[in-house]
Amino acid sequence: MDISPRVLRYFMAVAEELHFGRAATRLYIAQPSLSHQIRKLEEALGTPLFVRSSRQVQLTAAGRTLAREAPIALAALEHAVQLTRLAGAGIARTIRLGYTPVTGFDTLTALLDALREDHPDLMVDAREFFSAEIPERLRAGDLDIGLALSPQPLDGVGGELLREEPVSALLSTRHRLADTPRIPVTALRDETLLLFPRHLAPAYYDGIVAACHEAGFAPVICAFEEPPVNAMLARLAGGREVGLAPASFAEHTAKAGAGIIVRDVVDPPILAKLSVLWPTNDPSPAIASVLATARQCAEHNKWLRNPSRSA
């Protein structure tokens, strides 16, 4: 159905004239042409909008409905056009940012603070996803920016390393390794490791498994399908398992759980690599501005040991 905003405005002007007695001269359109446009609108809708007689013209029930709904539709269209123009000029009001749960404390907070300072008029719609979901959502247009652990390469999605930090151990104060300030990977041989399921962050998961293999053993792993932090803390408090997580996430998680401590993992250290991602088919200046702030944030907080611009 092809109904132009201009024809809807013609109809609204006629409806106002009938209801309020206001003249429609502001349309700058001759009466025969106006009548023709209204009849085309009725044909497109498949219903009469006016009851016409030799004495008067009145709105039908359908006409009254359109008179009520058309202003809403036109206002929404004008709003969409305005936002589109602002986005094209780099003045987008909202950026949809997808982040993986392990960034939800330290990294995300620092980035949002930096964005508020650099772009006070920008609203960030932050949404939590697992790392494996974020690249596809960017390519599909569901997100504008993503924060993901060791994301898999995907056509149409660009990325660069934003933060590199060690993986730490989370364990109960009653655990046998609690008094060891630096836990070598070999000491985890007889432990059950509590991790996110592999399919939620494959490269990150594989890095941990590879470090265990390098230390001479195959790890015993317990993984929740949808791992809530509170459930993980409850299991760790029992003293039987060891959680492995990026250091910043581990430190904040330990503070939230009584009887949980954090220990460094060494020999070899395991690194968690967080990347910032974006859709390469969107040249939006707003996205470029967010990326610039993210890079400055990484530099200011010393998130990169060896700064790199690829992921």
Side-chain angles (χ1 to χ4, degrees):
M1 182 185 298
D2 184 13
I3 298 176
S4 71
R6 182 179 62 179
V7 172
L8 282 180
R9 292 190 178 94
Y10 288 161
F11 165 78
M12 288 168 55
V14 174
E16 287 178 8
E17 182 180 5
L18 291 175
H19 187 72
F20 296 107
R22 289 193 279 218
T25 54
R26 65 181 182 276
L27 293 176
Y28 300 102
I29 181 172
Q31 184 62 42
S33 180
L34 175 60
S35 299
H36 176 68
Q37 294 290 343
I38 294 298
R39 290 191 184 280
K40 286 182 62 178
L41 176 60
E42 290 177 321
E43 291 173 5
L45 292 171
T47 185
L49 300 172
F50 298 95
V51 176
R52 301 169 179 85
S53 68
S54 58
R55 295 184 177 182
Q56 61 180 354
V57 178
Q58 293 180 316
L59 287 168
T60 62
R64 290 192 297 273
T65 299
L66 185 60
R68 182 177 64 250
E69 299 296 330
I72 300 172
L74 288 171
L77 177 61
E78 290 173 359
H79 182 64
V81 169
Q82 181 184 22
L83 291 181
T84 301
R85 287 172 175 163
L86 289 172
I91 320 174
R93 294 180 179 177
T94 302
I95 285 288
R96 299 162 301 168
L97 186 153
Y99 65 94
T100 189
V102 297
T103 68
F105 295 112
D106 187 70
T107 306
L108 181 65
T109 299
L111 179 56
L112 292 179
D113 286 345
L115 287 171
R116 275 192 290 267
E117 183 174 345
D118 291 351
H119 310 286
D121 295 330
L122 183 69
M123 178 179 294
V124 179
D125 178 8
R127 312 173 187 182
E128 185 174 284
F129 300 100
F130 290 109
S131 291
E133 299 178 77
I134 292 175
E136 188 57 53
R137 287 183 177 274
L138 285 163
R139 187 167 68 173
D142 298 332
L143 294 173
D144 303 306
I145 293 287
L147 299 175
L149 276 176
S150 302
Q152 301 289 345
L154 186 67
D155 290 342
V157 177
E160 63 185 57
L161 194 60
L162 184 70
R163 183 169 190 171
E164 189 176 61
E165 60 179 325
V167 170
S168 294
L170 280 162
L171 59 160
S172 168
T173 53
R174 297 181 293 163
H175 194 279
R176 69 177 185 87
L177 296 174
D179 294 330
T180 307
R182 292 162 60 84
I183 300 176
V185 174
T186 53
L188 301 175
R189 179 188 300 271
D190 298 321
E191 300 297 329
T192 297
L193 304 182
L194 200 58
L195 296 177
F196 295 129
R198 182 183 183 278
H199 69 272
L200 300 181
Y204 169 73
Y205 183 103
D206 291 347
I208 291 174
V209 172
C212 294
H213 286 165
E214 184 180 338
F217 69 97
V220 177
I221 295 174
C222 175
F224 290 104
E225 276 306 306
E226 294 185 3
V229 172
N230 289 338
M232 181 180 72
L233 290 176
R235 293 189 64 122
L236 291 175
R240 298 182 179 181
E241 295 164 325
V242 175
L244 295 180
S248 60
F249 177 81
E251 290 167 5
H252 283 274
T253 302
K255 291 176 183 178
I260 304 296
I261 57 174
V262 178
R263 293 292 182 259
D264 294 337
V265 175
V266 297
D267 301 329
I270 307 171
L271 294 180
K273 298 182 178 182
L274 180 73
S275 292
V276 58
L277 310 175
W278 65 91
T280 56
N281 62 353
D282 187 348
S284 165
I287 291 178
S289 296
V290 173
L291 288 173
T293 295
R295 292 169 186 138
Q296 293 168 4
C297 193
E299 182 176 356
H300 175 76
N301 291 285
K302 298 180 172 56
W303 284 345
L304 293 175
R305 300 179 178 187
N306 299 300
S308 170
R309 284 293 175 255
S310 61

